[in-house]
Amino acid sequence: LGRGPATPLALAAVSPPAPVWVPAGCRGAQGRFAYKLFHDLFANYSSALRPVEDTDRALNVTLQVTLSQIIDMDERNQVLTSYLWVRQAWLDAHLTWDKDAYDGIDSIRIPSSYVWRPDIILYNNADDRFGGSMETNVVLRSDGHIMWDSPAITKSSCKVDVSYFPFDGQQCRLTFGSWTYNGNQIDLRNRLDTGDLTDFVENVEWEVLGMPATRNVITYGCCSEPYPDVTYTLLLRRRASFYIFNLLLPCIMVSFLAPLGFYLPADSGEKVSLGVTVLLALTVFQLLVAESMPPSESVPLIGKYYIATMTMITASTALTIFIMNVHHCGPGARPVPPWARWFILHHMARLCCVYEVGESCKSPRRVLGQQARRGDANVLGESPGEGEVGAEVGACPQDHCLCHHDGLLRNVGYIAGCFRRHRAAQRRTSEWKKVAKVMDRFFMWVFFLMVFLMSVLVLGKAA
């Protein structure tokens, strides 16, 4: 360790530890007997043949599947990607030994490629590479029982039903069976009545409700022999919180915004723009949902809600255009028909609480109507000023005003006629504007009620 005499401490540091005493007969016994056992078992063994002593008897194979994780659920392509632990167990009649003859060795672990393995595959595999299980070791026991645990990432086809999206549930089947051995050669059975979910890692989008297992015996058209399989049905329910806050609630809020277009004043020029903007926003949400859904005939529930809302907004925009046309009736328009004046200006206006400036819901309609009719009579008739002028003109002596009397009367009559026509045109225009206002308020409440009922129906049907 260095130049100079070695100290006792240095010698103690480099001296090897004292050996543990082991009986002479036990040194390396397990290693030697395991090597001898492996050599004796596989000296004349072939992994290509089915390990049975009687070829007419079926080999019992038990299957157990443990679901570890749901990696992805592709609704558009209808493919479920999951991480599974597959356990297969069978009896190999050619790999038995007397454990007392090999120093009590009861089991060994060897590569799975050394022994015969059943060709159990996933029937509804949707992987383009079609990869199998991982090449792991098998546990071989002295009585010939073999247990093979292998993890596998599988892509299985799953029939997706999105009729109630995002409040939907799916049933994805995982069917395992032998590809070449029929039921007379391999009797495949499930070890448990359900898949193992004890080691399942929770998924953020899907909730697993169960994984029942069933054994089926099917005779295919290609062959007359029966083929048994074990089918695990994975029961999934979607966690809808993400879609409620990102797709459903914005749609509901935008839908309640659409009827407010009827409340906008017609002179603002933004009534049609609001309806078109809301329609474009719902179209964007509809495209987002359509991109993730499979192109099938079943329309999802949220898609039906979008279509119904878009139809309602299209109808409201068309009604807005019609009402604006009524609002902008010019002075040359016809008077409001009597039935429209009676039904819209009296009954519907009272129902929708639409009144003139200065009126309220508690104002007596008769007094106001009498005052309005009295004012119209004054407009249509001669004003007090006009009567006085006429009286004064009539009282004018003929010898002083004879040359100006006829011309003055004609001018006063022309001015009074123009004034009466102007007031009548204003009255017709104001009546049409009030008709448009009453229709706006009426359709606003109607469409509010429609949006509320559609939202309640969607949520109720989802529940």
Side-chain angles (χ1 to χ4, degrees):
L1 294 177
R3 297 180 181 178
T7 61
L9 182 60
L11 292 176
V14 299
S15 60
V20 179
W21 181 82
V22 179
C26 295
R27 294 177 183 176
Q30 288 286 342
R32 290 196 305 270
F33 279 105
Y35 180 81
K36 183 178 184 302
L37 173 61
F38 179 80
H39 183 270
D40 294 342
L41 287 177
F42 294 96
N44 297 317
Y45 181 81
S46 176
S47 61
L49 300 177
R50 189 166 57 98
V52 291
E53 295 182 356
D54 187 1
T55 56
D56 294 333
R57 298 184 61 182
L59 178 64
N60 295 326
V61 177
T62 59
L63 179 69
Q64 179 184 350
V65 172
T66 300
L67 179 63
S68 178
Q69 185 181 0
I70 296 176
I71 299 176
D72 183 40
M73 179 65 172
D74 189 357
E75 292 94 345
R76 188 169 184 83
N77 297 318
Q78 303 187 81
V79 174
L80 171 67
T81 304
S82 55
Y83 179 41
L84 305 177
W85 299 346
V86 182
R87 170 174 291 186
Q88 304 176 42
W90 65 94
L91 177 63
D92 195 323
H94 303 310
L95 296 178
T96 59
W97 71 89
D98 184 9
K99 58 183 179 180
D100 295 333
Y102 293 93
D103 198 21
I105 297 178
D106 184 57
S107 62
I108 58 175
R109 287 160 176 81
I110 56 177
S112 59
S113 59
Y114 281 72
V115 300
W116 176 89
R117 295 173 298 180
D119 54 347
I120 306 297
I121 64 171
L122 181 63
Y123 279 177
N124 55 334
N125 197 324
D127 194 356
D128 52 355
R129 295 175 299 176
F130 209 82
S133 303
M134 186 180 296
E135 295 292 335
T136 56
N137 292 339
V138 298
V139 179
L140 177 59
R141 302 185 66 85
S142 59
D143 54 359
H145 282 89
I146 297 178
M147 184 175 295
W148 182 27
D149 288 336
S150 61
I153 296 179
T154 62
K155 290 185 177 181
S156 58
S157 59
C158 178
K159 184 179 180 181
V160 178
D161 184 12
V162 293
S163 300
Y164 293 93
F165 176 85
F167 305 98
D168 57 331
Q170 306 297 334
Q171 294 185 3
C172 296
R173 292 177 173 81
L174 302 171
T175 303
F176 294 90
S178 175
W179 189 252
T180 58
Y181 295 103
N182 55 49
N184 299 324
Q185 297 170 333
I186 289 183
D187 186 12
L188 181 63
R189 295 184 177 275
N190 50 307
R191 184 177 181 183
L192 300 174
D193 293 334
T194 180
D196 190 4
L197 301 175
T198 55
D199 297 320
F200 177 70
V201 179
E202 291 292 334
N203 190 269
V204 294
E205 184 179 1
W206 296 96
E207 179 183 359
V208 178
L209 303 179
M211 195 177 178
T214 56
R215 180 179 181 271
N216 307 305
V217 179
I218 302 176
T219 301
Y220 297 96
C222 64
C223 315
S224 59
E225 297 84 3
Y227 282 83
D229 64 69
V230 176
T231 300
Y232 291 89
T233 304
L234 188 59
L235 305 179
L236 302 175
R237 183 171 61 188
R238 192 189 302 271
R239 303 180 190 269
S241 301
F242 173 81
Y243 299 97
I244 289 175
F245 285 101
N246 291 277
L247 291 180
L248 191 58
L249 285 183
C251 176
I252 293 177
M253 289 188 290
V254 170
S255 302
F256 276 101
L257 185 64
L260 291 178
F262 291 105
Y263 194 75
L264 279 176
D267 297 330
S268 65
E270 298 294 334
K271 294 172 71 69
V272 179
S273 301
L274 178 62
V276 173
T277 303
V278 172
L279 187 62
L280 291 176
L282 290 178
T283 304
V284 172
F285 283 113
Q286 174 70 18
L287 291 177
L288 290 176
V289 175
E291 287 180 356
S292 59
M293 295 294 102
S296 61
E297 294 182 356
S298 60
V299 181
L301 184 62
I302 190 173
K304 295 179 182 178
Y305 180 70
Y306 285 160
I307 294 298
T309 307
M310 292 167 66
T311 305
M312 184 199 66
I313 294 174
T314 303
S316 67
T317 306
L319 286 173
T320 301
I321 296 173
F322 171 74
I323 294 173
M324 288 184 66
N325 191 15
V326 173
H327 175 83
H328 290 287
C329 285
R334 296 179 179 179
V336 178
W339 67 267
R341 184 181 292 108
W342 174 80
F343 180 70
I344 297 178
L345 296 183
H346 291 278
H347 294 82
M348 287 184 60
R350 182 179 301 178
L351 179 66
C352 300
C353 289
V354 178
Y355 298 97
E356 299 293 342
V357 178
E359 299 181 13
S360 65
C361 296
K362 298 181 180 179
S363 300
R365 301 291 295 173
R366 292 182 178 179
V367 177
L368 294 174
Q370 292 175 1
Q371 293 177 357
R373 287 194 296 271
R374 191 180 302 116
D376 293 341
N378 292 333
V379 170
L380 293 174
E382 293 182 356
S383 61
E386 293 172 358
E388 293 175 0
V389 171
E392 292 177 359
V393 172
C396 181
Q398 296 265 340
D399 53 353
H400 296 286
C401 303
L402 185 60
C403 59
H404 301 289
H405 184 266
D406 296 336
L408 184 60
L409 289 178
R410 285 194 300 269
N411 291 335
V412 171
Y414 176 75
I415 293 173
C418 290
F419 184 73
R420 284 193 299 268
R421 288 192 297 271
H422 179 68
R423 290 296 300 270
Q426 282 186 342
R427 188 177 68 254
R428 288 195 300 269
T429 303
S430 63
E431 283 184 348
W432 282 115
K433 288 184 177 181
K434 188 175 180 181
V435 168
K437 187 175 182 181
V438 172
M439 294 175 65
D440 265 336
R441 297 293 173 84
F442 175 74
F443 285 117
M444 181 188 72
W445 292 114
V446 168
F447 279 92
F448 264 128
L449 182 62
M450 291 175 60
V451 172
F452 177 75
L453 289 179
M454 283 193 300
S455 303
V456 170
L457 286 176
V458 168
L459 296 178
K461 193 174 182 180

